[in-house]
């Protein structure tokens, strides 16, 4: 990982004049200490003294100056512990991700990772299960009409063609009379079509309409869709490999408004078994339902199929070195929702308490860097 950082720094600035690169280094050196202090103040204010104890602050500041590691990750990974401090260079830090992925990923047109409509087309081309796109509303026109010219009378899900993190998504239930979203807004089928056309125009983005999926009955979770995030890597000299995975789903408050994602725990990517519940909340809902009984009771349903689909999707867009796939575990089997070229290593490193550099990630990264530089 140390060598990878050196290569990325050298490669990232190679198109700039040496004078500009030197000036940038000087500016970064000057700006970094006050930026660290401000960052430390923010996390102490937001999380309280209990999460950022005073006695750990000198260590966090030294680590930031010596290793360019933000205090949030120092505290998140508990890097003061001896067994973690000795492996400090093997962690993959969030502020490194964007620069690294920009170096090793090769852009493509069309882009099936950033563009959800193109992702749907990729899955159709390769026979991979993904929710159907029933209609597409652009700001100035309809890219795809509903079959028979009106929305199907069933639960529907709306999401932007471009975007991430659940921004702009909307769920609609059908109650035999009208569609109702999570905010209690009711629309007849005729109003639904006009509503989406107006929303696409006002927000200046394309909206996709898909069926609202239901969870696999073995998960024992109603309402929010349970999703497995599976990170895969594609080396230049081998087949796609699964690196790590975890389960998450959104929660809804008493007003049925979306709350932050709930992390259920890590997945053994080979077997599909849940390893543990989330550290922040104790055993998760899914894990609690499945922690007793046989090994099969702790295994996510149809995991082998989910793993096969994600690997096949990555082979179809191998210009991306690493992709985080969101796979819905539905009553119709696993469904690929989308791929994410930029993802955070924090979930794995926090829940597992070990660096990503100790997984297959490091070996795959080495092959991709070597290919990029040669």
């Amino acid at each position: 990982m140390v060598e990878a950082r050196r290569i990325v720094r050298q490669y990232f600035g190679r198109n700039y004049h040496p004078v500009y690169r030197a000036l940038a280094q000087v500016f970064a050196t000057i700006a970094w200490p006050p930026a660290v202090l401000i960052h430390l103040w923010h996390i102490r204010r937001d999380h309280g003294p209990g999460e950022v104890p005073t006695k750990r602050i000198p260590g966090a500041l030294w680590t930031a100056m010596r290793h360019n590691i933000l205090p949030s990750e120092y505290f998140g990974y508990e890097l003061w512990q001896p067994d973690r401090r000795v492996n400090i260079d093997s962690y993959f830090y969030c502020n490194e991700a964007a620069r690294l992925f920009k170096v090793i990923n090769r852009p493509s047109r069309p882009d099936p990772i950033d563009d959800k409509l193109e992702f749907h087309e990729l899955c159709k081309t390769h026979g991979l299960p993904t929710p159907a796109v029933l209609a597409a509303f652009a700001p100035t026109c309809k890219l795809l009409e509903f079959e028979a010219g009106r929305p199907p009378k069933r639960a529907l899900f709306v999401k932007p063609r471009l975007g991430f993190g659940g921004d702009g998504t909307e769920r609609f239930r059908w109650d035999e009379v009208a569609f109702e979203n999570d905010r209690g807004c009711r629309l007849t089928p005729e109003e639904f079509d006009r509503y989406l056309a107006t929303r696409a125009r006002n927000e200046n983005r394309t909206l996709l309409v898909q069926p609202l999926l239901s969870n696999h009955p073995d998960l024992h979770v109603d309402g929010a869709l349970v999703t497995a995030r599976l990170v895969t890597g594609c080396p230049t000299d081998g087949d796609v490999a699964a690196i790590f995975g975890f389960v998450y789903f959104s929660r809804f408050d008493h007003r049925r408004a979306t709350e932050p994602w709930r992390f259920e725990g890590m997945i053994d990517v080979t077997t599909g078994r849940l390893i543990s519940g989330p550290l922040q909340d104790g055993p998760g809902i899914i894990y609690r339902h499945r922690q007793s009984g046989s090994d099969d009771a702790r295994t996510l349903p149809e995991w082998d199929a989910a793993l096969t689909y994600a690997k096949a999707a990555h082979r179809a867009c191998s210009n991306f070195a690493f992709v985080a796939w969101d796979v819905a575990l539905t009553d119709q089997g696993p469904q690929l929702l989308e791929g994410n070229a930029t993802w955070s290593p924090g979930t794995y490193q926090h829940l597992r308490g070990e660096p990503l550099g100790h997984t297959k990630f490091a070996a795959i990264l080495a092959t991709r860097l070597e290919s990029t530089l040669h």
Side-chain angles (χ1 to χ4, degrees), residues 105-157:
N105 289 336
R106 299 187 299 276
S108 63
R109 290 292 180 270
D111 183 352
I113 299 299
D114 291 336
D115 188 327
K116 295 178 176 60
L117 189 55
E118 292 297 340
F119 177 76
H120 176 262
E121 293 300 318
L122 178 141
C123 290
K124 280 180 36 179
T125 300
H126 293 274
L128 300 173
T130 191
V133 174
L134 305 175
F137 292 78
T140 58
C141 65
K142 290 182 182 178
L143 298 180
L144 178 64
E145 290 269 7
F146 285 114
E147 188 174 340
R150 56 188 295 131
K153 296 178 179 180
R154 56 162 300 166
L156 299 173
F157 182 71

Side-chain angles (χ1 to χ4, degrees), residues 7 17 38 51 113 116 132 191 196 202 206 210 227 242 249 266 275 317 345:
I7 292 173
H17 192 280
I38 293 171
E51 296 294 324
I113 299 299
K116 295 178 176 60
E191 292 170 333
L196 290 181
N202 291 342
T206 299
Q210 297 181 307
T227 304
F249 60 93
M266 301 299 300
I275 298 174
C317 49

